[in-house]
């Protein structure tokens, strides 16, 4: 994204301080410090009805982890991207936050031309790790009342906001929120209240409901690949067809975003190229791809989730 690309890389001292802060939180580099949601499918409806979930928009930006800490000689403020890249950011913040603050966030480009850092989870604030075991509602309160009130960017045109979340049954509140948003979205995120802040890797309890499903593949040597770097599978492994000519201008070993095309029965019949993903250097995992395809087939919507809630009672 334009915002991260304009920031200077963190220097060696800052990187070492951030590595130490993340290790203190049990989230060592280079993996992104927080988990990735899974696509919602029919099998999740019972879970959504049995536990309290919060729902918010799925902002269409670039995920970044904000880390505030200290090196031996200075305060350190860094944004960590999904590749593990660290970028120095100039902030004004309460000194207490530099005892160690790690926040999951997303940078979005506002319709007004400015940028917004949306904060939506944390595992450590002002050196206190116990916050990661609090309910999500408490973690959001800490972000609103402690982090946001004590933090601002020195660069003009950059706002820091805690992302509003709504009870899954509060369709009116969510609709009003969506109507006044000043940035692009591509679906919804549903997060359980009772779970700890998610660790790196797959977060099976956090669900994404996309309005338009996409999958990330590695484009290498004329084939689309998915899975972990040590165990990659060709797209044909799951019968996923694509048109190589659509990727003729894409550099080799780039991660690309593909859109599944379905037939009238909801079966995926073709993958179409959308864009490169320069913010990623790995494709979707095997589990992510198979779950997303299942989500496409199940075609779960916010409306069908609401109907399941109405049938099964309010989440506890």
């Amino acid at each position: 994204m334009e915002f991260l690309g304009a920031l200077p890389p963190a220097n060696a001292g800052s990187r070492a301080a951030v590595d130490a802060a993340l290790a203190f939180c049990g989230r060592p580099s280079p993996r992104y410090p927080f988990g990735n949601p899974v696509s919602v499918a029919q099998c999740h409806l019972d879970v959504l009805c049995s536990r309290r979930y919060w729902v918010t928009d799925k902002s269409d930006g670039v995920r970044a982890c904000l880390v505030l800490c200290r090196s031996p000689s200075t305060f350190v403020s860094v944004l960590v991207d999904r590749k593990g890249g660290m970028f120095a950011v100039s902030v004004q913040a309460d000194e207490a936050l530099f005892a160690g603050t790690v926040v999951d966030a997303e940078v979005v480009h506002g319709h007004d031309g400015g940028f917004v850092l949306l904060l939506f989870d944390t595992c450590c604030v002002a050196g206190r790790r116990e916050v990661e075991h609090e309910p999500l509602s408490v973690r959001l309160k800490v972000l609103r009342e402690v982090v946001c009130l004590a933090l601002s960017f020195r660069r003009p045109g950059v706002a820091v906001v805690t992302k509003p979340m709504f009870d899954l049954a509060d369709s009116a509140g969510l609709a009003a929120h969506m109507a006044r948003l000043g940035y692009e979205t591509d679906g919804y995120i549903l997060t359980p209240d009772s779970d700890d802040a998610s660790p790196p890797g797959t977060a099976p309890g956090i669900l994404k409901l996309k309005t338009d499903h996409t999958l990330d593949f590695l484009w290498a040597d004329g084939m689309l690949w998915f899975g972990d770097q040590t165990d990659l599978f060709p797209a044909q492994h799951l019968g996923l067809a694509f048109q190589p000519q659509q990727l003729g201008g894409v550099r080799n070993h780039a991660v690309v975003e593909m859109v599944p095309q379905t037939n009238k029965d909801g079966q995926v019949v073709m993958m179409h190229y959308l864009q490169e993903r320069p913010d990623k250097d790995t494709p979707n995992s095997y589990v992510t791809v198979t779950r997303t395809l299942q989500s496409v087939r199940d075609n779960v919507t916010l409306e069908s989730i609401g109907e399941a809630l109405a049938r099964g009672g309010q989440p506890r």
Side-chain angles (χ1 to χ4, degrees):
M1 174 183 262
E2 175 187 342
F3 181 76
L4 288 180
L7 297 175
N11 61 34
S14 294
R15 292 184 65 90
V18 170
D19 284 340
L22 293 176
F24 170 73
C25 295
R27 298 157 191 263
S29 302
R31 300 184 75 189
Y32 189 79
F34 294 89
N36 298 311
V38 301
S39 295
V40 68
Q42 197 74 23
C43 63
H44 293 115
L45 293 181
D46 286 345
V47 176
L48 291 170
C49 289
S50 65
R51 306 172 63 190
R52 188 178 194 186
Y53 263 80
W54 299 98
V55 59
T56 190
D57 65 275
K58 184 179 181 298
S59 48
D60 190 12
V62 173
R63 199 164 177 195
C65 175
L66 175 68
V67 181
L68 306 179
C69 57
R70 291 189 181 103
S71 73
S73 59
T74 187
F75 294 135
V76 174
S77 50
V78 162
L79 285 173
V80 182
D81 70 11
R82 294 177 67 151
K83 293 181 176 181
M86 298 184 188
F87 303 88
V89 291
S90 180
V91 303
Q92 183 173 335
D94 190 299
E95 184 175 323
L97 294 182
F98 290 96
T101 298
V102 179
V103 176
D104 200 2
E106 182 136 352
V107 182
V108 296
H109 200 171
H111 294 156
D112 62 359
F115 292 93
V116 183
L117 184 69
L118 297 168
L119 314 182
F120 51 82
D121 210 345
T122 181
C123 64
C124 187
V125 173
R128 299 181 61 184
R129 280 194 59 187
E130 58 267 28
V131 68
E132 74 173 313
H133 304 301
E134 297 284 359
L136 176 62
S137 50
V138 174
R139 301 198 301 271
L140 291 170
K141 188 172 188 287
V142 171
L143 289 175
R144 281 194 308 271
E145 299 181 2
V146 177
V147 178
C148 268
L149 291 183
L151 173 70
S152 60
F153 278 81
R154 297 186 187 275
R155 172 178 165 176
V158 184
V160 182
V161 176
T162 298
K163 202 171 189 180
M165 297 194 188
F166 303 85
D167 190 286
L168 191 50
D170 183 11
S171 56
L174 178 63
H177 165 72
M178 299 296 291
R180 59 177 178 263
L181 282 181
Y183 53 84
E184 295 298 316
T185 66
D186 60 356
Y188 305 93
I189 295 289
L190 297 83
T191 310
D193 187 61
S194 58
D195 285 3
D196 291 354
S198 62
T202 300
I206 304 177
L207 308 175
K208 61 182 177 182
L209 197 166
K210 297 190 72 171
T211 47
D212 295 300
H213 291 279
T214 59
L215 288 166
D216 295 330
F217 291 87
L218 179 69
W219 172 244
D221 304 322
M223 176 53 65
L224 293 173
W225 302 85
F226 65 97
D228 301 322
Q229 287 284 30
T230 56
D231 199 8
L232 291 172
F233 301 86
Q236 295 165 339
H237 181 78
L238 294 176
L240 299 175
F242 65 98
Q243 298 171 329
Q245 61 268 29
Q246 291 184 353
L247 296 107
V250 177
R251 60 189 174 86
N252 201 29
H253 294 284
V255 175
V256 295
E257 189 171 11
M258 304 290 291
V259 179
Q261 174 192 340
T262 59
N263 60 19
K264 60 183 178 62
D265 297 321
Q267 301 300 312
V268 176
V269 295
M270 184 66 67
M271 302 294 299
H272 293 283
Y273 172 71
L274 180 62
Q275 62 182 354
E276 283 195 42
R277 290 294 306 269
D279 59 315
K280 296 188 70 175
D281 57 7
T282 57
N284 286 150
S285 68
Y286 190 97
V287 170
T288 297
V289 170
T290 54
R291 284 180 172 170
T292 299
L293 293 175
Q294 185 63 52
S295 183
V296 171
R297 289 191 290 270
D298 288 351
N299 192 30
V300 176
T301 65
L302 207 58
E303 291 73 21
S304 62
I305 292 173
E307 292 169 0
L309 289 177
R311 290 194 305 269
Q314 299 302 318
R316 294 190 294 273

